Amino acid sequence: PMSDDAKREGLLPCPFCGQPPYFKPKGEIMDARIMCDNTACLPRVYVWAPTNAAAIAAWNRRQAYGGAT
């Protein structure tokens, strides 16, 4: 299931499998990170960035999932 943080931030689903992402906001030590939460998804897409806004922008800046054909 999509994390509450991912829902609040309006993150798009994984561009490869269409599953919701996992969003870990920036903490005191770690940068913000967003990744596909589907362990069967290859490649397992992820984004690391120094701010929440930069991570969200990077994750959402790509073609949306079009579904299997």
Side-chain angles (χ1 to χ4, degrees):
M2 185 178 288
S3 69
D4 289 341
D5 288 325
K7 287 179 189 174
R8 275 195 301 275
E9 300 301 338
L11 293 167
L12 296 174
C14 174
F16 295 99
C17 71
Q19 294 298 307
Y22 171 79
F23 174 53
K24 180 69 175 170
K26 178 174 175 47
E28 287 186 33
I29 299 172
M30 299 292 290
D31 285 346
R33 53 203 179 276
I34 303 169
M35 63 198 78
C36 177
D37 206 24
N38 178 2
T39 57
C41 180
L42 295 176
R44 186 110 189 247
V45 180
Y46 63 91
V47 170
W48 291 74
T51 66
N52 293 344
I56 292 164
W59 178 265
N60 285 340
R61 186 180 50 241
R62 38 87 179 154
Q63 187 163 341
Y65 174 67
T69 57

